[in-house]
Amino acid sequence: GQQVMQIPQYQHVQEGEDFTTYCNSSTTLSNIQWYKQRPGGHPVFLIQLVKSGEVKKQKRLTFQFGEAKKNSSLHITATQTTDVGTYFCAGTPNAGNMLTFGGGTRLMVKP
Amino acid sequence: IAGITQAPTSQILAAGRRMTLRCTQDMRHNAMYWYRQDLGLGLRLIHYSNTAGTTGKGEVPDGYSVSRANTDDFPLTLASAVPSQTSVYFCASSPARVPGANVLTFGAGSRLTVL
């Protein structure tokens, strides 16, 4: 079945440093979504990408969808303590309709 | 405030007991889902419902059952709880009838410990 892998599993950064998490699918995706879960909270939708090579920005966050629509990345510029949490990607395969989540990347920011 | 309500927030349960986790949404979303979250494994789909009256199996359905008698409610039942079902359970919903075609809204979660 479809697998969605995310790396790294954990990342410690100093406040002000940049951070990137990568998402890779074993199959081509029709779309990819990103969610953020604060410690003790629930996942909250951030963004959806649908086009090959698409890039979207939300303030300090930059989201990319690969040309082959099998990978994606989330880059945070100049991290802040408010960025702490676990970031999940979730993809829908072209051949199916079930959203599959990656394992998540837990970001910790040292002030 | 519109959204998803889950109950209980947390529960400690003896193995072998029956347990129902409740989920109610007031957004009139068509699709509803149950996920479990375990450290390092992300969110895994247990069961889903595309619309009232229909349900389907997700990635890890064994030991769980669901029903969707109406649009708003989607309870998850553990018929005979086992320790491996210790997890945080999230209910979610989306407007679309087709899973993956729309954005998920999650409830606050139910933390279940099976001893």
Side-chain angles (χ1 to χ4, degrees):
Chain A
Q2 182 204 1
Q3 288 192 334
V4 177
M5 308 298 292
Q6 245 183 291
I7 55 170
Q9 192 172 2
Y10 303 95
Q11 183 81 57
H12 288 85
V13 299
Q14 194 71 42
E15 187 174 22
E17 291 181 341
D18 292 356
F19 159 78
T20 304
T21 173
Y22 300 91
C23 182
N24 293 286
S25 170
S26 57
T27 60
T28 304
L29 303 170
S30 62
N31 66 71
I32 194 151
Q33 299 175 6
W34 285 91
Y35 292 78
K36 177 183 178 181
Q37 183 179 22
R38 294 184 184 275
H42 59 277
V44 175
F45 173 77
L46 293 177
I47 209 160
Q48 176 168 274
L49 306 170
V50 296
K51 297 177 184 176
S52 171
E54 188 171 12
V55 178
K56 286 188 177 180
K57 293 191 176 185
Q58 289 180 349
K59 297 182 181 178
R60 295 176 295 103
L61 277 61
T62 302
F63 304 84
Q64 290 188 315
F65 200 8
E67 294 289 341
K69 300 185 75 174
K70 295 181 73 172
N71 57 76
S72 181
S73 65
L74 158 59
H75 179 81
I76 302 178
T77 303
T79 55
Q80 301 176 358
T81 54
T82 53
D83 295 325
V84 164
T86 300
Y87 293 84
F88 292 98
C89 64
T92 305
N94 275 340
N97 57 14
M98 199 60 63
L99 191 65
T100 300
F101 280 81
T105 296
R106 183 179 173 192
L107 173 64
M108 289 154 280
V109 180
K110 291 177 263 187
Chain B
I1 298 176
I4 296 179
T5 301
Q6 288 187 235
T9 302
S10 65
Q11 181 78 46
I12 299 174
L13 187 67
R17 297 296 295 270
R18 180 184 179 89
M19 177 73 194
T20 295
L21 303 180
R22 300 184 298 278
C23 175
T24 300
Q25 54 109 353
D26 61 4
M27 298 173 285
R28 306 304 293 173
H29 282 176
N30 289 308
M32 296 187 75
Y33 316 85
W34 275 105
Y35 289 89
R36 61 176 289 173
Q37 183 174 31
D38 303 289
L39 192 64
L41 296 175
L43 293 152
R44 294 182 293 169
L45 183 65
I46 304 170
H47 284 287
Y48 66 93
S49 169
N50 287 343
T51 189
T54 68
T55 62
K57 293 182 179 180
E59 180 185 357
V60 288
D62 294 344
Y64 305 95
S65 63
V66 292
S67 62
R68 187 89 184 274
N70 57 61
T71 297
D72 299 342
D73 301 301
F74 191 44
L76 176 73
T77 297
L78 289 68
S80 179
V82 295
S84 62
Q85 292 177 311
T86 293
S87 188
V88 179
Y89 292 86
F90 286 101
C91 180
S93 70
S94 72
R97 284 191 175 88
V98 177
N102 218 317
V103 169
L104 300 183
T105 299
F106 284 86
S110 295
R111 181 176 294 275
L112 182 66
T113 303
V114 183
L115 302 176

